[in-house]
Amino acid sequence: MLYVKQDTKEELLHWIKRKQEEMIEIGTEKGISHEETLQCSQELDHLLTSYQRLASINQLRS
């Protein structure tokens, strides 16, 4: 059985929030179609996917 520490989920939530804030800031300054905004969006997607995987693993353990 795979064990996922709660700290890992909390840490991911922290980074998700920071990345969201960063993306909003870049998008506001440079526009939503700017390469930097799109890159930040992809990084946020990766974090969200990682969090969703952890949530799924925890559901399987329950």
Side-chain angles (χ1 to χ4, degrees):
M1 179 181 336
L2 182 61
Y3 175 71
V4 179
K5 295 188 329 184
Q6 186 64 29
D7 291 349
T8 304
K9 284 179 68 178
E10 294 302 320
E11 191 173 327
L12 267 175
L13 285 174
H14 167 79
W15 288 111
I16 287 168
K17 182 167 177 52
R18 289 190 60 179
K19 189 56 71 174
Q20 286 172 328
E21 292 168 354
E22 178 185 356
M23 187 178 72
I24 290 168
E25 184 178 321
I26 294 169
T28 301
E29 291 175 8
K30 299 182 179 185
I32 60 171
S33 298
H34 191 275
E35 182 179 330
E36 214 173 311
T37 307
L38 297 175
Q39 176 64 37
C40 193
S41 176
Q42 290 174 348
E43 292 168 3
L44 176 58
D45 287 346
H46 178 73
L47 289 168
L48 290 168
T49 300
S50 296
Y51 183 84
Q52 185 60 42
R53 284 185 184 142
L54 285 178
S56 295
I57 289 169
N58 285 342
Q59 276 187 331
L60 290 174
R61 288 190 317 154
S62 299

